Amino acid sequence: MSRADFHVHTPLCHHASGWPVEFARRAVELGLEELGFADHNPMPAPFDDWRMDLADLPRYLDAVAEARALFPQLPIRLGLECDYLPGREKWIEELAGMAPWDFFIGSVHYLPEGWDVDNPKHLARHSGNAEEIWQSYWLTYQRCIRSGLFDFVGHPDLPKKFGYRPDGDLRRFYEPSIQALADTGLAFEINTAGLRKPCREAYPAVPFLQLARTAGVPVLINSDAHAVDELGSHFGDATALALEAGYTEVARFTQRQRRMVPLAPTAAGSA
Ligand code: ZN
Ligand code: FE
Ligand code: FE
Ligand code: ZN
């Protein structure tokens, strides 16, 4: 089973509970080998109500440092989940210079039309508009992948969160983004948060995984924990999905360099 979780939030984003020390304690209990914090990135000026304030960036760095000091046996990686916003790439470059980051996740929550597709306050916009929303989302996702700003991309088919999907074979949406991943060497995550949402399946759907595996695109398995009891959640299910798709290794990141580790033990008993 995958033994690292590289998508974990903190209370600094105003909608998560559990400080890095608490997540680290839980990670050790769970037998995780590595833990990566990836809170929602700050913006240069007030932007929305679900991300870290720029003024809190030092608190974030301190909180991760505190967890490292208390749990020296656990490798703890420092990251951010960055919103990819077309036209605002420069800000991500600035952020990259502000701390010794281990990894940046590129996520698309905002459509270019100016609203966040996973925000329950916009639930009413989804019904009857899935085709249009998915077209806009996946075009933005391709740009996110090709921006060169990130180490892996988050929750690939996020617009399904509330259970609305276009009709027909959805691979037409996946294929250009998988091509972009293959072209750029970027990884993507299997994000188990979808299993806790109305869509009731991990992000991304199985056909995406199969296409990505065939294209040789590296994968991670992450929980997107916003609370301590979500850390590593459904990793057994997600590992089974990855193995079924043919994956044998998962990616981890240190100082923005990718490493690959075996997904499952070849010998029985351990891991
Ligand atoms: Zn969040
Ligand atoms: Fe996200
Ligand atoms: Fe997240
Ligand atoms: Zn996320």
Side-chain angles (χ1 to χ4, degrees):
M1 184 159 94
S2 184
R3 290 276 179 197
D5 196 338
F6 272 75
H7 192 153
V8 176
H9 291 274
T10 82
L12 294 173
C13 68
H14 316 288
H15 66 278
S17 58
W19 288 95
V21 164
E22 300 167 81
F23 279 109
R25 184 176 296 122
R26 181 69 184 141
V28 171
E29 277 172 21
L30 289 172
L32 294 187
E33 296 166 354
E34 225 164 301
L35 177 63
F37 290 96
D39 214 353
H40 296 288
N41 70 296
M43 293 292 286
F47 185 77
D48 58 22
D49 61 359
W50 54 264
R51 69 189 57 255
M52 190 192 311
D53 297 329
L54 186 54
D56 281 339
L57 184 56
R59 292 179 67 195
Y60 183 58
L61 304 180
D62 286 351
V64 172
E66 186 189 9
R68 283 173 167 162
L70 276 169
F71 296 93
Q73 72 273 42
L74 176 69
I76 296 178
R77 310 304 178 195
L78 176 68
L80 285 176
E81 180 182 15
C82 298
D83 273 85
Y84 176 68
L85 300 165
R88 297 193 181 222
E89 289 83 353
K90 259 234 119 42
W91 173 243
I92 308 295
E93 286 173 15
E94 279 184 56
L95 276 174
M98 289 184 190
W101 306 107
D102 291 304
F103 65 102
F104 271 7
I105 307 176
S107 285
V108 173
H109 304 101
Y110 283 92
L111 301 182
E113 292 75 25
W115 60 287
D116 38 352
V117 78
D118 63 328
N119 194 328
K121 79 179 183 194
H122 299 305
L123 181 55
R125 299 180 74 150
H126 284 268
S127 179
N129 295 316
E131 181 75 28
E132 201 184 317
I133 289 169
W134 280 51
Q135 284 192 19
S136 176
Y137 173 85
W138 286 101
L139 267 176
T140 312
Y141 206 68
Q142 282 175 62
R143 293 183 65 178
C144 174
I145 293 164
R146 293 193 189 276
S147 70
L149 297 167
F150 308 113
D151 300 293
F152 66 93
V153 281
H155 41 59
D157 52 0
L158 182 66
K160 76 180 175 188
K161 175 176 176 179
F162 302 111
Y164 298 98
R165 297 170 177 85
D167 295 329
D169 190 336
L170 299 177
R171 285 179 294 190
R172 69 185 192 277
F173 295 103
Y174 310 152
E175 277 162 351
S177 284
I178 289 163
Q179 187 61 54
L181 289 166
D183 290 348
T184 55
L186 227 63
F188 72 101
E189 66 172 4
I190 300 175
N191 181 316
T192 63
L195 289 160
R196 311 190 292 269
K197 298 294 173 354
C199 61
R200 290 280 157 205
E201 63 176 23
Y203 311 108
V206 165
F208 183 108
L209 262 185
Q210 291 168 336
L211 289 171
R213 166 66 195 126
T214 302
V217 179
V219 73
L220 296 84
I221 294 173
N222 294 326
S223 71
D224 207 348
H226 284 68
V228 172
D229 65 0
E230 292 172 353
L231 189 70
S233 76
H234 297 99
F235 272 23
D237 301 327
T239 300
L241 290 175
L243 289 168
E244 276 167 46
Y247 278 102
T248 58
E249 336 177 276
V250 283
R252 296 183 188 174
F253 293 90
T254 313
Q255 293 173 31
R256 308 207 65 175
Q257 297 295 314
R258 190 178 80 212
R259 290 168 288 126
M260 300 303 297
V261 303
L263 175 58
T266 46
S270 64

